[in-house]
Amino acid sequence: MCSSDLVQRLAAFADGDLGGNPAGVVIRDSLPDVETMQDVAREVGYSETVFAAPVGNRWSVRYFAPVGEVPFCGHATVALGAALGQAHGAGAFHLDTFAAGPVEVRAEAEGDHWQVELTSPPAHHDAPLAGTVARAMLLFGLTGADLDPTLRPICAHAGADHLIISLHDRSRLATMTYDLSEGAALMREVGLVTISLIHVAQDGIVHARNAFASGGVIEDPATGAAAAALAGWWRDADLRHGRIEIAQGHDMGVPSRLFATALPGQGAGVRVAGRVRVI
């Protein structure tokens, strides 16, 4: 049996002692059946709940949003890393995700918190399917004048597919709004897990908002998979290298901070790090 009473509740990518994206974490001797995992995720109500079970010296992992399974979730992986570190000590843990393949997560104690870094699945990017950008812009009420002319909209992947739309004005990012049912229909039709709106500030910090209608959630305050997809795209397109700091969740009152570093080599994975706090 598995109930929501057995769920650890952790916030990944916290900004100091505040914010972070809540995730449910369930560690069992074996994974529950799919119906049970879905029921628990729905009852917990967070954007994702992660389920993990040991298989030899590795961990079998699946992720569920309130309305269905998702292939990969960065913030839930980071939360799981903290839970594994708490149970087994600091170090690296090797995960076999059901849909996205092998992922490594490394946890280190940092006072009363945990600092956790995941290494994502391989990254790649493509032009969005025809008509997708126009439909997304209509969904969010954007016009061509709102877009950053230096960064074209892109579909990027590092375990899950994300449409990334770059805006030239931070204040326009702050006003993000859209219809949840229309967003869910669009994302499911074209195979997107999220739509990420970003603004790159003059100091290089990326400000992000991430619509997760495909999972039944209007917005995520921190999205590690989208951060990995962004960093992988920028590396492979030779747009930017080195560590990227991402500020997310501030516009919804849940400040979060992520750090993404693409590994060397076209298509390689991305390291995404952040702090985890207990809710």
Side-chain angles (χ1 to χ4, degrees):
M1 294 293 293
C2 180
S3 74
S4 62
D5 294 336
L6 300 175
V7 178
Q8 298 181 61
R9 290 165 169 81
L10 303 169
F13 303 117
D15 190 354
D17 295 326
L18 301 174
N21 196 356
V25 178
V26 178
I27 301 174
R28 305 283 286 166
D29 291 337
S30 61
L31 290 180
D33 62 76
V34 169
E35 182 179 0
T36 298
M37 288 189 284
Q38 186 62 74
D39 287 344
V40 171
R42 186 179 302 110
E43 185 176 348
V44 171
Y46 292 155
S47 59
E48 273 100 359
T49 295
V50 58
F51 298 82
V55 179
N57 62 352
R58 303 180 67 85
W59 294 84
S60 179
V61 174
R62 296 180 79 158
Y63 309 90
F64 284 81
V67 299
E69 187 168 12
V70 294
F72 177 65
C73 174
H75 86 273
T77 301
V78 165
L80 173 61
L84 291 173
Q86 183 67 41
H88 301 283
F93 301 92
H94 301 281
L95 316 180
D96 291 315
T97 69
F98 178 71
V103 173
E104 182 183 274
V105 63
R106 181 175 295 274
E108 300 294 338
E110 190 179 78
D112 295 332
H113 302 279
W114 286 85
Q115 186 73 20
V116 180
E117 179 183 79
L118 68 84
T119 301
S120 79
H124 61 81
H125 67 277
D126 298 288
L129 294 175
T132 300
V133 174
R135 293 174 64 187
M137 290 178 64
L138 182 63
L139 176 69
F140 293 103
L142 298 171
T143 69
D146 293 316
L147 303 185
D148 182 340
T150 68
L151 292 170
R152 73 186 192 280
I154 201 77
C155 184
H157 177 99
D161 287 326
H162 309 268
L163 176 64
I164 303 175
I165 300 176
S166 306
L167 306 180
H168 77 82
D169 191 332
R170 175 68 181 86
S171 64
R172 188 67 184 87
L173 182 68
T175 63
M176 185 193 88
T177 185
Y178 72 101
D179 181 89
L180 180 64
S181 60
E182 292 181 9
L186 171 59
M187 293 182 205
R188 291 169 187 165
E189 180 182 336
V190 299
L192 296 171
V193 173
T194 76
I195 297 176
S196 182
L197 303 184
I198 68 169
H199 168 74
V200 183
Q202 288 188 345
D203 60 6
I205 294 176
V206 177
H207 298 266
R209 301 192 73 171
N210 213 261
F212 185 38
S214 68
V217 177
I218 193 75
E219 181 178 4
D220 251 352
T223 315
L230 173 69
W233 163 37
W234 281 0
R235 174 203 58 208
D236 291 347
D238 202 24
L239 294 170
R240 181 170 166 182
H241 300 272
R243 190 175 80 157
I244 301 167
E245 181 176 347
I246 300 170
Q248 190 178 337
H250 295 75
D251 293 305
M252 55 188 298
V254 189
S256 305
R257 202 159 296 274
L258 308 86
F259 299 91
T261 306
L263 296 173
Q266 192 85 3
V270 176
R271 290 177 178 152
V272 183
R275 170 176 272 201
V276 179
R277 66 177 184 86
V278 176
I279 297 174

